[in-house]
Amino acid sequence: MKATGIVRRIDDLGRVVIPKEIRRTMRIREGDPLEIYTDKDGEVIFKKYSLMGGLADFAAQICDTLNKTTGHIAVVADRDTVIASAGVSRRELTEKRISPELEQLMETRQIYVHKPDARPVPISEENEKYHIAVMAPILSEGDVLGSVMFASGENGIAMGDMENKLIQTIAGFLGKHMES
């Protein structure tokens, strides 16, 4: 755990304000759920809660199936990190923070298909080797929970209508699954 040097008091309603700098760094937005942990030393730890985080094993199976079926790199991300990938070494993408560009694309709630003349959009801010070829946001009850993508490496791969529809189908399925 890293000390920030910031001290905050609890108000009479038991509230604590998380400083803007920390919210920005940790990508905590208004309305984001936080999980609260305690330990025997009296520490209270706030951790961003991800509904998609509980689906990591399921998402990994989906990615493996998509990769085996299509031969493309398959990726599932929540709003902050890549939770599953297949077709690349696990440590290259999985558990890496998503790029700000991907975060913005998800917020549009639109399908994204990379155009050959456009600037490539990296999946992770830590590894810009992999770019989005096609992406569909995972929507549940109107909220963006994450996205499903096919990725391309440095060479770039053009995706067709079949890959586009497949990604949309998986994103729709995961969104419905999260509602139940």
Side-chain angles (χ1 to χ4, degrees):
M1 208 172 348
K2 186 169 78 172
T4 63
I6 301 170
V7 176
R8 290 288 190 252
R9 295 198 182 279
I10 297 175
D11 72 8
D12 59 334
L13 294 176
R15 296 177 295 202
V16 177
V17 174
I18 299 171
K20 187 175 186 175
E21 312 84 57
I22 292 175
R23 292 194 317 262
R24 187 181 313 121
T25 305
M26 301 305 295
R27 294 183 177 175
I28 298 171
R29 295 172 284 282
E30 183 179 331
D32 280 354
L34 298 175
E35 212 167 356
I36 302 169
Y37 294 90
T38 60
D39 71 4
K40 61 183 178 217
D41 297 329
E43 293 179 324
V44 177
I45 301 160
F46 290 92
K47 183 178 177 190
K48 275 187 79 171
Y49 177 72
S50 169
L51 288 169
M52 294 291 295
L55 289 182
D57 292 338
F58 188 56
Q61 291 172 351
I62 288 173
C63 286
D64 284 339
T65 303
L66 286 171
N67 175 252
K68 287 176 184 166
T69 304
T70 65
H72 298 306
I73 300 167
V75 180
V76 175
D78 65 13
R79 291 181 57 183
D80 297 301
T81 59
V82 173
I83 61 170
S85 62
V88 294
S89 167
R90 187 178 189 286
R91 75 186 113 145
E92 287 195 72
L93 284 174
T94 305
E95 297 179 8
K96 302 286 188 224
R97 178 173 255 171
I98 65 169
S99 70
E101 298 93 336
L102 172 54
E103 187 176 8
Q104 289 174 342
L105 282 176
M106 283 193 283
E107 290 302 320
T108 68
R109 295 173 160 72
Q110 301 292 315
I111 309 304
Y112 170 82
V113 179
H114 177 70
K115 308 232 181 328
D117 57 335
R119 184 182 158 282
V121 178
I123 291 173
S124 169
E125 65 182 11
E126 298 172 43
N127 183 347
E128 294 194 8
K129 179 179 170 185
Y130 298 100
H131 304 99
I132 303 168
V134 62
M135 182 278 303
I138 300 168
L139 303 173
S140 179
E141 298 177 356
D143 294 328
V144 178
L145 301 182
S147 62
V148 181
M149 298 160 267
F150 280 131
S152 62
E154 293 156 333
N155 302 342
I157 298 173
M159 297 289 165
D161 196 45
M162 189 255 325
E163 288 90 354
N164 189 344
K165 295 292 184 195
L166 189 54
I167 288 297
Q168 288 180 52
T169 301
I170 299 299
F173 171 77
L174 287 172
K176 290 288 183 193
H177 179 76
M178 294 306 293
E179 288 176 7
S180 57

